[in-house]
């Protein structure tokens, strides 16, 4: 009778042990699967986010040189019309993250900076120049620098940069939605991201 009871006890212990290790194995397999899914999703997010805009502007350029004790002068002038294509991009292939399966935490360690590209189409009209004061390469370089400086100011005052950042945040929110759905934690800059909306206030 004791042998039968002992056998029953051993069977029960063996069954419990099997269940325990089987659950542990399932948990490990699920953790590996979850980690792989998160890595895949982050890789899918790693694309180029681009916002495009167009700016038009009119400039006037004048220059005068005096000769012979300021008795004579030579002038040059031009009307300049600029149509510029501007793109602001975030290359999310440069996004860096760290995944810790033990704590089920995804940490964003690096968000790439914006890349601004300005492609101006410069056209000259009403060009007037005296023989002693001709347009030279230095004039065109100075005009181009002035145009680029002006365009950068206009870009800063426009909604182009904020629109690009909003697009960036919408891509990053995909990572939060996935991690939150799977019971993981998303962190950035030492802080836990507690909601999708809170990502709008991120500073980067």
């Amino acid at each position: 009778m004791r042998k039968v009871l002992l056998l029953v006890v051993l069977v029960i212990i063996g069954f419990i042990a099997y269940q325990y290790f089987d659950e542990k194995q399932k948990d490990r397999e699920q953790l590996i699967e979850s980690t792989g899914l998160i890595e895949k999703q982050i890789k899918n997010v790693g694309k180029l986010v681009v916002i495009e805009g167009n700016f038009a502007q009119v400039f006037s350029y004048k220059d005068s040189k005096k000769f012979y004790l300021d008795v004579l002068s030579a002038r040059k002038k031009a009307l300049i019309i600029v149509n510029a294509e501007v793109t602001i991009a975030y290359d999310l292939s440069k996004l860096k993250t760290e995944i810790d399966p033990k704590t089920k935490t995804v940490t964003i360690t690096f968000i790439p900076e914006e890349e601004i590209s300005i492609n101006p189409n410069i056209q000259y009209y009403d060009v007037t120049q005296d023989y002693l004061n001709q347009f030279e390469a230095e004039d065109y370089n100075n005009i181009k620098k002035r145009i680029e400086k002006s365009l950068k100011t206009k870009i800063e005052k426009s909604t182009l940069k904020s629109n690009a950042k909003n697009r960036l945040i919408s891509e990053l929110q995909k990572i939060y939605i996935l991690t939150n759905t799977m019971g993981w934690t998303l962190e950035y800059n030492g802080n836990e991201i507690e909601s999708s909306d809170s990502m709008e206030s991120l500073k980067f």
Side-chain angles (χ1 to χ4, degrees):
M1 185 67 179
R2 289 181 179 178
K3 290 182 179 181
V4 174
L5 184 60
L6 180 61
L7 182 60
V8 171
V9 171
L10 291 174
V11 170
I12 294 173
I13 293 173
F15 178 75
I16 293 172
Y18 172 78
Q19 287 289 101
Y20 174 79
F21 287 111
D22 186 52
E23 287 297 322
K24 285 290 184 182
Q25 181 63 27
K26 287 180 180 178
D27 289 342
R28 281 195 293 270
E29 290 175 355
Q30 186 176 10
L31 186 60
I32 292 172
E33 184 179 347
S34 300
T35 303
L37 183 59
I38 289 173
E39 288 175 342
K40 182 179 179 181
Q41 179 63 28
I42 292 174
K43 187 176 181 180
N44 289 339
V45 169
K47 62 182 181 181
L48 190 65
V49 175
V50 180
I51 293 292
E52 297 180 347
N54 292 280
F55 294 88
Q57 200 161 357
V58 178
F59 295 88
S60 61
Y61 180 81
K62 294 180 181 180
D63 180 74
S64 178
K65 289 183 179 180
K66 293 185 180 295
F67 302 92
Y68 303 109
L69 301 176
D70 295 342
V71 174
L72 299 176
S73 64
R75 297 181 177 86
K76 58 185 171 186
K77 65 177 183 177
L79 182 68
I80 305 149
I81 297 178
V82 180
N83 289 289
E85 294 181 356
V86 177
T87 60
I88 299 180
Y90 287 94
D91 186 358
L92 290 183
S93 66
K94 299 176 182 177
L95 180 74
K96 294 180 181 180
T97 59
E98 292 180 355
I99 300 175
D100 188 347
K102 293 181 180 179
T103 60
K104 292 186 176 181
T105 302
V106 176
T107 304
I108 299 175
T109 59
F110 175 76
I111 297 175
E113 294 182 357
E114 62 190 19
E115 299 173 6
I116 300 177
S117 175
I118 303 173
N119 299 300
N121 178 19
I122 304 173
Q123 294 182 322
Y124 292 84
Y125 296 91
D126 192 25
V127 177
T128 303
Q129 54 188 345
D130 292 338
Y131 179 76
L132 296 176
N133 192 10
Q134 302 276 321
F135 273 95
E136 299 176 353
E138 184 179 357
D139 295 301
Y140 294 111
N141 288 334
N142 290 334
I143 290 170
K144 187 176 181 181
K145 288 178 182 178
R146 177 184 166 190
I147 289 171
E148 289 178 347
K149 183 178 179 180
S150 178
L151 287 171
K152 287 178 181 178
T153 301
K154 292 190 74 172
I155 292 168
E156 289 294 330
K157 293 180 179 179
S158 73
T159 60
L160 208 59
K161 292 182 73 173
S162 61
N163 290 342
K165 184 177 179 181
N166 289 337
R167 282 282 306 276
L168 169 66
I169 290 172
S170 69
E171 291 298 318
L172 297 178
Q173 283 174 335
K174 294 177 182 179
I175 300 176
Y176 169 78
I177 292 170
L178 178 67
T179 53
N180 184 62
T181 301
M182 300 178 66
W184 285 53
T185 301
L186 181 62
E187 293 183 352
Y188 174 68
N189 204 22
N191 298 313
E192 178 183 343
I193 298 174
E194 298 179 349
S195 69
S196 180
D197 292 338
S198 68
M199 298 190 77
E200 296 178 3
S201 61
L202 291 180
K203 294 182 180 180
F204 47 81

